[in-house]
Amino acid sequence: MQNELGYRGLEVYKKSHKLVIIIYEITKNFPKEEIFGLISQIRRASVSIPANIVEGYGRNSKKIRYIFSLLPGFS
């Protein structure tokens, strides 16, 4: 049975979302000349974590859901 909150109910999603917020707060204090280099790369990497969780959770395959259910933090 799926959680009625969907992926938002997953602890791993909640933690990854908090990480994105922290990364954005930290990187806003980086030098402005890094805006298109290091800052962009760090932010994109952090955003990809919850994005991949959402993408994986949205798959309809029973086999995929079974595999995810075996991973720690997925319900």
Side-chain angles (χ1 to χ4, degrees):
M1 186 169 133
Q2 276 190 354
N3 183 340
E4 64 186 46
L5 297 175
Y7 65 87
R8 288 188 174 104
L10 299 174
E11 193 62 33
V12 68
Y13 174 79
K14 293 175 188 176
K15 288 182 179 184
S16 67
H17 186 262
K18 286 180 185 177
L19 176 65
V20 172
I21 294 168
I22 292 167
I23 292 294
Y24 268 76
E25 285 296 315
I26 291 170
T27 56
K28 77 179 180 183
N29 296 320
F30 280 25
K32 295 301 175 201
E33 60 267 11
E34 290 294 337
I35 193 78
F36 298 111
L38 188 59
I39 295 172
S40 175
Q41 187 174 4
I42 293 172
R43 286 178 175 180
R44 284 184 286 121
S46 69
V47 168
S48 74
I49 300 167
N52 286 331
I53 293 168
V54 171
E55 180 183 351
Y57 191 85
R59 295 186 181 175
N60 291 324
S61 166
K62 287 182 181 179
K63 183 177 180 182
I64 294 293
R65 288 191 190 247
Y66 173 72
I67 291 169
F68 280 139
S69 73
L70 299 176
L71 298 173
F74 285 89
S75 54

